[in-house]
């Protein structure tokens, strides 16, 4: 009688027929899955499948939230661009505005009508920068975009009429934004 050979259980664990065309590695993996299913009851399998489903659902929700945040940021950016274009159109459309801005930039006296138009222009731009500051504080605007807006604000702070206008209207703005504008005005005056 032949003596029994020592057998590697991992290598010979053939519980089910190997899927056609499968490699030895795939066959071993298949055998482990089949062995696992025979060792565990249906309830355990359902728990594993349920857990896997929950994990997949959480991954999907995370992807949706990320996509929604990207869409919101794009919409905000588009709204800011539209407001900026509105401000440019306001300046270009009115000869009174153009003349008032020219005088304001060089420090010449303004007529009452020019003052009203230039103040409106400054107010609309400051509202734009306040929105940018708000968005930046909430993480909806990148630092480089805010730096660009702050730089544009600094150009306005050099205008003689802006400084007078700002002194009259500073209290109308939220304190945190007011502090930013004050800091920009102070930096500009120190450089000049």
């Amino acid at each position: 009688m032949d003596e029994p050979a020592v057998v590697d259980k991992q290598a010979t664990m053939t519980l089910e027929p190997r899927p056609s065309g499968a490699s030895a590695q795939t066959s071993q993996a298949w055998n482990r899955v089949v062995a696992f299913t025979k060792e565990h009851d249906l309830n355990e399998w359902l728990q594993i499948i349920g857990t896997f489903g929950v994990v997949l659902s959480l991954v999907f929700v995370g992807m949706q939230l990320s996509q929604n945040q990207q869409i919101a940021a794009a919409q905000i950016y588009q709204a800011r661009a539209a407001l900026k274009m509105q401000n440019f159109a306001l300046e270009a459309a009115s000869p009174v505005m153009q003349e008032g801005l020219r005088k304001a930039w060089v420090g010449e006296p303004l007529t009452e009508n020019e003052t009203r138009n230039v103040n409106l222009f400054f107010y609309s731009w400051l509202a734009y920068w306040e929105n940018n500051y708000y968005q930046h504080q909430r993480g909806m605007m990148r630092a480089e975009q805010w730096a660009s807006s702050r730089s544009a604000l600094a150009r306005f702070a050099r205008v003689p009429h802006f400084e007078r206008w700002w002194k009259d209207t500073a209290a109308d703005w939220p304190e945190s934004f007011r502090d930013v504008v004050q800091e920009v005005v102070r930096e500009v005056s120190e450089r000049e």
Side-chain angles (χ1 to χ4, degrees):
M1 193 177 250
D2 294 329
E3 288 192 32
V6 176
V7 180
D8 180 6
K9 292 182 181 179
Q10 285 286 356
T12 60
M13 191 189 295
T14 306
L15 302 171
E16 297 291 330
R18 175 176 11 169
S20 63
S23 69
Q25 250 185 344
T26 306
S27 180
Q28 285 178 349
W30 176 254
N31 288 338
R32 286 186 192 119
V33 169
V34 170
F36 181 80
T37 57
K38 289 186 177 182
E39 291 176 17
H40 297 82
D41 65 2
L42 181 61
N43 190 27
E44 288 175 339
W45 264 109
L46 292 176
Q47 287 177 358
I48 291 169
I49 291 170
T51 302
F52 186 68
V54 168
V55 169
L56 283 177
S57 296
L58 290 174
V59 168
F60 178 74
V61 167
M63 290 170 52
Q64 287 293 98
L65 287 173
S66 174
Q67 186 178 26
N68 288 346
Q69 185 178 12
Q70 290 172 355
I71 289 169
Q75 288 173 337
I76 289 167
Y77 188 83
Q78 185 175 4
R80 283 195 313 263
L83 181 59
K84 194 174 192 178
M85 296 312 295
Q86 248 179 344
N87 287 342
F88 287 137
L90 178 66
E91 178 184 357
S94 167
V96 173
M97 177 72 76
Q98 291 173 359
E99 180 60 16
L101 288 173
R102 185 195 66 73
K103 289 178 176 179
W105 251 256
V106 296
E108 292 180 12
L110 303 174
T111 67
E112 186 177 323
N113 196 21
E114 289 168 343
T115 299
R116 189 172 32 259
N117 280 279
V118 168
N119 288 350
L120 174 65
F121 183 78
F122 285 150
Y123 197 90
S124 66
W125 272 105
L126 214 62
Y128 170 77
W129 290 316
E130 178 197 17
N131 182 329
N132 287 353
Y133 174 72
Y134 177 84
Q135 299 302 331
H136 173 66
Q137 291 299 104
R138 277 140 194 83
M140 299 300 288
M141 176 186 258
R142 294 189 321 260
E144 68 184 57
Q145 291 172 306
W146 169 240
S148 175
S149 284
R150 198 175 185 285
S151 176
L153 175 58
R155 283 193 300 278
F156 269 64
R158 289 185 190 97
V159 175
H161 185 78
F162 179 84
E163 191 173 344
R164 287 190 301 273
W165 174 82
W166 175 248
K167 286 177 183 172
D168 292 342
T169 62
D172 297 346
W173 302 92
E175 185 177 350
S176 61
F177 179 65
R178 188 179 337 138
D179 292 344
V180 169
V181 177
Q182 298 283 45
E183 181 182 323
V184 169
V185 168
R186 189 172 43 255
E187 288 170 5
V188 166
S189 65
E190 287 172 0
R191 275 188 245 143
E192 294 180 359

